[in-house]
Amino acid sequence: MLKWSVIFLIVALVAGIFGFFNIVAAAATIAKVLFFIFLVLFVISLFTGRSRNL
């Protein structure tokens, strides 16, 4: 999922260079949402992984 977040970030940067501002806004929003979903799942996996080892 982090890979998709980086891909959408790169799409947003390239679209911003060429002046496609609608695409920039959409790609940046998708990248942010995917990154925060990845972050939440990562934190959850850290806590669940620790509880199994105790």
Side-chain angles (χ1 to χ4, degrees):
M1 191 173 304
L2 187 60
K3 179 177 124 178
W4 283 106
S5 180
V6 172
I7 289 171
F8 278 109
L9 179 64
I10 291 170
V11 167
L13 291 174
V14 170
I17 290 171
F18 291 118
F20 299 113
F21 296 112
N22 292 334
I23 296 173
V24 170
T29 303
I30 292 171
K32 286 179 190 176
V33 168
L34 288 176
F35 178 74
F36 284 119
I37 290 172
F38 167 77
L39 194 62
V40 167
L41 291 175
F42 177 70
V43 169
I44 290 171
S45 70
L46 281 177
F47 285 121
T48 59
R50 285 184 171 211
S51 66
R52 279 189 239 156
N53 293 334
L54 293 175

